Amino acid sequence: MENLTDHAPQVLLVVAVLAGACLLLVVVRYARADRGTRVSMRQAVRVRWGWVRLARMAGLTVTDKTPGLLAQITAQKDSPAPAPRVLTPRIKVKPDRFGVIVRARTLPQVGLEEYQKAARFLADAWRCTRVSVLPDGPGKVVIRGVRSDPLTTPTKHLPTGLPPADVARWELGVDEYAAPVCVSLANVPGVTVAGTPGAGKTSGINKFVCDLAPSAAVQFVGFDGKVSRAAEGDYADLVKRMFAFCGDDLTEWSLSPTSLRS
């Protein structure tokens, strides 16, 4: 007992140092994050702190009338029965620039269906535009809450300049829940990109060309009916990487100098 008392200051010092290091790490992550991620980090704190109360109000808890092991061991013969325990699912919260990703456990009578029914209550409580609930393995669900619509949020893409590992994989971007969307082009004879003006068709095609351009296994041929020359239009900056280009006149082809040298 005396040895423990003698080492108490050292133990407290170690605990304080660890706590300070964790706090410093959180501050650094918060400072380096973009504006949207900072808002989501504060949102994640509110989600964690208010989860127990919210889960009870949303019907995501279970009352366990069976005493725990410790209560059974310490119970006296004539003592009253222990009070029932209210079990709340455990969660892990991860923020990103669009909102939060919450991974939760299931309980008896609180499974995927119950989480999906409570999704609208979770959206209101977490101040999210929409919330989805999907299975995440046995006894687990993943709750995705987006604060802002990813489909209307401007994004930036920085090509790596390296050949892709799979040239038949087209990474389109994200869906309405900010999840990555990929399309397999293997054994696909053609793809149609359609939409209203300003919907992002040109940006999507430019991203596709920039991502596959470093691969020598891919060749591009451009048909742009909105222009007459290769130096005009939306794809003028990409013509040097194309094998050939044609404007509004199909009889006038323009071969790239790069393709002629190769």
Side-chain angles (χ1 to χ4, degrees):
M1 189 66 178
E2 293 180 358
N3 293 335
L4 294 177
T5 305
D6 295 338
H7 291 84
Q10 290 83 351
V11 173
L12 293 177
L13 179 60
V14 172
V15 173
V17 171
L18 293 177
C22 294
L23 180 60
L24 179 61
L25 179 61
V26 172
V27 172
V28 171
R29 290 178 56 189
Y30 184 84
R32 297 183 60 183
D34 55 62
R35 181 178 180 181
T37 305
R38 291 180 182 178
V39 177
S40 298
M41 292 175 71
R42 297 194 296 268
Q43 181 185 19
V45 174
R46 294 195 301 268
V47 171
R48 294 189 189 97
W49 286 359
W51 171 245
V52 174
R53 181 181 180 186
L54 178 61
R56 293 182 179 181
M57 293 189 294
L60 298 177
T61 59
V62 175
T63 301
D64 186 3
K65 299 181 179 180
T66 303
L69 180 60
L70 181 60
Q72 295 179 18
I73 295 175
T74 59
Q76 301 294 329
K77 183 176 181 179
D78 298 330
S79 61
R85 297 176 299 160
V86 178
L87 305 181
T88 304
R90 297 180 179 179
I91 63 171
K92 293 182 179 180
V93 187
K94 179 181 179 181
D96 61 15
R97 61 175 300 198
F98 296 105
V100 292
I101 301 175
V102 181
R103 301 186 184 277
R105 293 279 185 177
T106 61
L107 294 174
Q109 300 182 3
V110 179
L112 176 63
E113 184 177 353
E114 285 69 29
Y115 279 102
Q116 292 176 339
K117 290 181 179 179
R120 59 191 183 98
F121 303 119
L122 301 179
D124 294 336
W126 295 345
R127 303 174 188 175
C128 292
T129 302
R130 63 177 69 95
V131 167
S132 71
V133 182
L134 297 174
D136 192 36
K140 301 178 182 178
V141 296
V142 56
I143 308 172
R144 176 50 161 158
V146 290
R147 187 185 59 262
S148 57
D149 192 346
L151 298 181
T152 60
T153 303
T155 59
K156 296 181 180 180
H157 177 66
L158 182 62
T160 62
L162 300 176
D166 185 4
V167 296
R169 178 185 175 91
W170 186 2
E171 297 182 359
L172 296 178
V174 296
D175 61 9
E176 65 271 25
Y177 291 102
V181 177
C182 300
V183 175
S184 176
L185 301 180
N187 301 320
V188 176
V191 175
T192 299
V193 180
T196 58
K201 302 184 298 297
T202 302
S203 298
I205 296 175
N206 284 340
K207 177 182 181 300
F208 173 72
V209 174
C210 291
D211 288 342
L212 295 184
S215 174
V218 180
Q219 288 288 351
F220 300 98
V221 177
F223 296 84
D224 191 351
K226 296 188 295 183
V227 300
S228 298
R229 296 183 305 164
E232 302 172 349
D234 298 328
Y235 308 103
D237 296 333
L238 303 177
V239 170
K240 294 181 180 180
R241 179 56 180 84
M242 293 183 180
F243 173 76
F245 181 87
C246 180
D248 53 7
D249 189 352
L250 297 180
T251 62
E252 295 185 4
W253 280 90
S254 175
L255 295 177
S256 172
T258 305
S259 64
L260 294 177
R261 288 196 300 268
S262 60

